[in-house]
Amino acid sequence: MNPQFIPINIAVLTISDSRTFDNDTSGKVLEDKAIADGHHVVHRQIVADDIYQIRAIVSKWIAAPDVQAVVTTGGTGLTGRDGTPEAVKVLFDKEIEGFGELFRSLSYQVIKTSTVQSRAIAGVANGTFIFCLPGSSGACRTGWDDILHDQLDIRHKPCNFVDLMPRLLEK
């Protein structure tokens, strides 16, 4: 018997020095896709490319009882201002190495070797899943459509992240 769909609460964070809600196409893509899949976007925010500001917001959401997953967009490149992995990785209780590996493999099909410049990562902190995607709307579509769509759906088999949520804080 297939389980019933369980919507989860998602926080979306756009990391950019130049985006506003008027031109944040990547954050909007993630919000729209999450809602279309039946989830709840409980927070959406834009923050400058500053590791301490990023870390402060993600830390707040990790501690919030109404957030089960955080999806970020931006700051995963190689420029001096790109600091998302450095900001969030230290917060992880466990890293999900396969997320970045799979993202780059999927991305290679679209942008070929340019995908080596992506430092997409994911992990779990305090029972909250955190997914960090590049800042382009195409990368957000790839990340959502080809990974998160299935992994955030309890009906996806043989396994998915929602199945794990009740067990993330086990000792």
Side-chain angles (χ1 to χ4, degrees):
M1 175 182 247
N2 285 337
Q4 292 281 62
F5 177 78
I6 298 173
I8 65 167
N9 293 336
I10 299 172
V12 175
L13 181 63
T14 298
I15 296 146
S16 172
D17 291 331
S18 59
R19 300 237 177 118
T20 67
F21 280 102
D22 290 335
N23 66 9
D24 178 22
T25 55
S26 298
K28 183 75 171 130
V29 162
L30 292 171
E31 180 180 36
D32 289 349
K33 287 190 171 291
I35 291 168
D37 279 355
H39 300 294
H40 307 291
V41 175
V42 293
H43 302 283
R44 180 166 168 225
Q45 195 167 335
I46 298 173
V47 66
D49 247 325
D50 175 273
I51 63 171
Y52 299 103
Q53 290 180 45
I54 297 164
R55 194 175 294 157
I57 293 167
V58 173
S59 293
K60 181 177 74 171
W61 288 344
I62 290 167
D66 68 327
V67 177
Q68 295 164 302
V70 174
V71 184
T72 74
T73 174
T76 62
L78 299 172
T79 72
R81 296 287 295 157
D82 289 322
T84 301
E86 291 75 17
V88 252
K89 204 170 190 177
V90 298
L91 302 173
F92 292 165
D93 298 323
K94 294 185 177 166
E95 188 170 354
I96 306 169
E97 289 89 352
F99 179 84
E101 295 165 358
L102 178 57
F103 176 82
R104 283 180 286 281
S105 175
L106 294 164
S107 179
Y108 178 81
Q109 298 170 27
V110 179
I111 63 170
K112 300 299 181 201
T113 60
S114 295
T115 194
V116 300
Q117 296 182 30
S118 168
R119 298 185 304 142
I121 61 167
V124 180
N126 192 37
T128 304
F129 281 97
I130 303 161
F131 308 100
C132 301
L133 295 168
S136 75
S137 55
C140 289
R141 281 187 202 88
T142 297
W144 189 275
D145 292 346
D146 296 341
I147 304 172
L148 297 177
H149 170 78
D150 287 338
Q151 284 300 299
L152 295 179
D153 187 338
I154 198 164
R155 300 168 298 186
H156 179 76
K157 298 300 175 197
C159 58
N160 59 76
F161 292 139
V162 180
D163 270 337
L164 300 175
M165 287 181 177
R167 301 187 54 212
L168 293 177
L169 298 175
E170 288 177 351
K171 298 289 180 192

